[in-house]
Amino acid sequence: MSNMRQRARARRDHRWAPRRMSDYLDGELAERSRTRLERHVRECEECRGVLRGLQRMLGKLRGMTPPSARPDPRAMAARVRDRLSQQPES
Amino acid sequence: VAQEVFLRAWRALPRFEERAQLSTWLYRIAFNEAQRRLTKPAPPMAAPDPSSTDAEDPVAAITEATNLGPEARALDREFERALDRALSELPSDWRTAVVLRDLEGLSTEEAAAVVGVRQAAFKSRLHRGRMQLRALLEPYLEGG
């Protein structure tokens, strides 16, 4: 492939790749697209940096306790106080 | 919000048709309740009760148990604060997508069902949200 064609392909892939990174990291990209993205990321330092940043961020987010499972000490304290202040039902 | 969600779910349980998973159905109720509260005007703030400060309240002082050392815990807390700030800067559709998929751990299919949009539309919001979040959190992502 001539240098000119290679540069044109690299420019096209540079516009195309970032929009597929999310699907790539979720394992939801078709094989052909995955190969194309991996080839571009090997060649392009900028896209490699973006993909690495996304990967690190998702690793951190997925290692965190989900918001729905986080304890809320203030709310818990308020509920305990409410229950304690309620008169037992007769 | 959680109490209201479970109350609504309990009342609606006879109408649950098992076409969706129970967890997806609960997330859907939570999502609707959160949307409803966000569109309501904020209630006036209650005056603090001087007899019950957090400092004196042993229950309020409970923190999440963790095996991390103090330095790692501080870094984690710093990242969590940065994440909260960054999430608050995202448009709500993008924020919802990131929270459901990446923090709550729902699949794309489940999260799209909770929000009530097609998977393709959901993926687009998720991708935009992730890209903006990555840019906002960049200083916290370097080196590992």
Side-chain angles (χ1 to χ4, degrees):
Chain A
M1 198 186 287
S2 72
N3 279 348
M4 200 183 290
R5 284 180 66 187
Q6 272 185 347
R7 281 201 297 274
R9 190 203 68 195
R11 275 198 301 273
R12 276 197 309 274
D13 285 354
H14 190 68
R15 286 193 299 271
W16 172 89
R19 282 176 282 144
R20 269 76 184 181
M21 287 180 181
S22 204
D23 276 352
Y24 175 77
L25 293 170
D26 287 337
E28 294 179 3
L29 204 57
E31 188 172 351
R32 195 168 168 184
S33 297
R34 197 169 65 234
T35 306
R36 182 178 172 188
L37 188 136
E38 286 171 350
R39 183 190 61 203
H40 178 68
V41 164
R42 270 196 296 275
E43 294 167 353
C44 174
E45 194 179 342
E46 186 185 337
C47 286
R48 199 161 52 241
V50 173
L51 185 64
R52 195 181 294 137
L54 274 176
Q55 198 169 26
R56 283 184 181 148
M57 182 184 78
L58 293 185
K60 274 179 174 277
L61 297 191
R62 288 168 183 177
M64 292 172 76
T65 308
S68 62
R70 284 182 203 161
D72 183 348
R74 284 197 182 93
M76 195 197 300
R79 282 198 299 274
V80 172
R81 275 196 296 271
D82 283 351
R83 295 290 290 275
L84 290 174
S85 66
Q86 279 171 6
Q87 294 294 321
E89 288 178 17
S90 54
Chain B
V1 175
Q3 285 180 28
E4 185 63 29
V5 167
F6 282 112
L7 193 64
R8 283 170 186 268
W10 176 252
R11 286 178 184 149
L13 199 55
R15 298 196 300 277
F16 175 59
E17 293 174 354
E18 297 184 19
R19 278 182 307 192
Q21 282 194 16
L22 184 65
S23 58
T24 308
W25 181 71
L26 274 175
Y27 273 113
R28 177 80 203 160
I29 294 172
F31 176 74
N32 287 341
E33 177 62 18
Q35 296 275 69
R36 196 180 67 80
R37 284 178 183 241
L38 284 171
T39 52
K40 262 174 51 174
M45 294 281 282
D49 177 358
S51 67
S52 63
T53 62
D54 284 352
E56 294 163 354
D57 191 330
V59 182
I62 294 171
T63 53
E64 195 174 356
T66 171
N67 295 323
L68 296 175
E71 194 180 338
R73 274 206 302 272
L75 285 174
D76 261 22
R77 279 197 297 273
E78 193 183 336
F79 180 75
E80 277 185 26
R81 280 196 293 271
L83 176 63
D84 284 346
R85 279 197 305 273
L87 281 171
S88 71
E89 288 185 35
L90 299 188
S92 69
D93 285 350
W94 300 3
R95 180 169 61 239
T96 303
V98 171
V99 168
L100 288 176
R101 185 75 176 84
D102 298 330
L103 286 165
E104 292 293 337
L106 270 63
S107 68
T108 302
E109 187 183 358
E110 289 168 335
V114 167
V115 180
V117 296
R118 288 172 185 269
Q119 286 190 46
F122 180 83
K123 280 184 178 189
S124 168
R125 294 177 185 185
L126 177 65
H127 173 68
R128 287 159 189 259
R130 282 174 173 175
M131 291 298 265
Q132 187 168 333
L133 201 59
R134 181 204 64 84
L136 292 167
L137 293 174
E138 199 161 21
Y140 301 90
L141 300 172
E142 284 160 11

